[in-house]
Every structure is written in C-alpha cells, then in structure tokens.
Amino acid sequence: MEDRLILMGVIGKPHGVRGQLRVHCYGEDPEVLAEHVLADAKGRRFTLEWAHDNVAWIDELSNGAQRRIADRDDAARLTNVELFLPRSALPEAEEEEFYLADLIGLDAHDESGKVIGKVGNVLDYGAGASLELSPGGRLIPFTKASVPQVRVADGYVVVTPPLEVDAKEAGE
C-alpha cells in the first residue's frame, strides 16, 4: 500500500497576538502532532509545540530553515490549513482495529462473496462515516449492519446495503 497522507488536524483561529494558533486534532492523542513533521495540501511542512490545551506554536520548515509563526497576521493566514501525516508515521492498528483510510482501495463484496466494487473513499460529515463505492459513487453507511465484515489484511469488506439504498438504486 502506498504511503498516503492522513488528515490529522486543522489549524484554527489565532490565539493572542504573538502567533499562537488553535489546532484541532482529529486523532486520539494530540501529542502525535508534536512528534512529527506535518504537511499541508500544498506540500508546506510544519512542526508544532503545544503551549496549552489546543493552542500551539507553529514553525514552518522551508529550504532547510525553520521559521516560527510569531505574529497574529502570519497566524491568521494559516487558519483552516489542514495538517497531514504519512500513514507510515502512525502506529499499527490493534487486532480487529483499523484506520478508516486503510479501507480505501479495498474490494467490496456482497454477502455471497461477489465483488461489487471498490471502496473509493470514506466520507464523514459528522453524522457517521459512509463508504463510497466505485464505480458509481454508491454510498453505504459504515455501520456493523451495512458493513458486517472488514478484512483489511485480506483486501476486502463485506457490504449489505440497507433496504433504502437498494430501493433508491432500483428506482423505486
């Protein structure tokens, strides 16, 4: 599996006038963000040092140099920047656990074992994750009822779409 980037947090609003920023961590342990070099979608690289709670000092790394974000205006320009880590930087998942990003690219089987597509994306807008199957963009709620088996090591998930999804796809 290629070393894809995993969204681990997002920079929020400036905190104070000396360049500190709020950082929202999407992982279980915010310290992970301080232990690694982070990247944004444009390829810029950052390190952070937690000041307190969800507030951090951020340094931008460029051409071998490290520059601390030291004023509110520079900090404000980083608001809403997403912070990524390579998948290889994250610890291995425990037995019967997995990262949602590891589902992308897995085959999707129906209950009989027939391949019905691939997991093209995992979407989560706050009300629970959904698997987007390709081709076609079919959305399957990521629940135990709709995805009863996840076999990352074997390269597939078993999908049993809810009746509402099947009826909608059939045009009923």
Side-chain angles (χ1 to χ4, degrees):
M1 185 180 324
E2 82 276 4
D3 200 11
R4 67 181 69 163
L5 293 177
I6 307 298
L7 178 61
M8 294 298 297
V10 65
I11 298 174
K13 295 179 184 179
H15 179 79
V17 296
R18 293 188 174 92
Q20 289 182 330
L21 287 142
R22 295 190 185 283
V23 177
H24 306 283
C25 179
Y26 295 146
E28 198 171 277
D29 180 10
E31 281 304 313
V32 170
L33 297 181
E35 295 168 357
H36 298 281
V37 174
L38 305 161
D40 72 358
K42 296 177 182 177
R44 296 180 297 182
R45 298 172 355 119
F46 302 95
T47 60
L48 68 81
E49 175 186 335
W50 292 110
H52 56 84
D53 297 327
N54 66 339
V55 175
W57 293 104
I58 294 183
D59 292 352
E60 185 171 1
L61 308 175
S62 178
N63 299 323
Q66 186 168 337
R67 181 182 70 86
R68 168 81 31 114
I69 304 303
D71 69 52
R72 187 173 182 85
D73 291 336
D74 281 348
R77 285 189 267 283
L78 293 177
T79 299
N80 295 323
V81 168
E82 295 176 320
L83 300 170
F84 297 88
L85 273 177
R87 171 64 180 86
S88 62
L90 300 175
E92 286 304 312
E94 298 291 324
E95 188 175 332
E96 298 199 23
E97 291 184 350
F98 49 84
Y99 291 100
L100 292 176
D102 291 343
L103 302 177
I104 297 171
L106 297 181
D107 286 334
H109 295 191
D110 64 14
E111 288 181 313
S112 71
K114 177 183 169 196
V115 176
I116 59 172
K118 282 195 175 294
V119 178
N121 204 352
V122 179
L123 306 170
D124 190 345
Y125 298 111
S130 296
L131 303 182
E132 181 180 36
L133 302 184
S134 60
R138 183 180 196 187
L139 291 178
I140 306 296
F142 189 56
T143 62
K144 189 71 170 167
S146 296
V147 186
Q149 291 184 47
V150 175
R151 305 287 179 119
V152 174
D154 297 326
Y156 72 91
V157 295
V158 173
V159 174
T160 55
L163 296 175
E164 301 84 34
V165 173
D166 280 342
K168 184 177 179 184
E169 303 234 339
E172 296 174 12

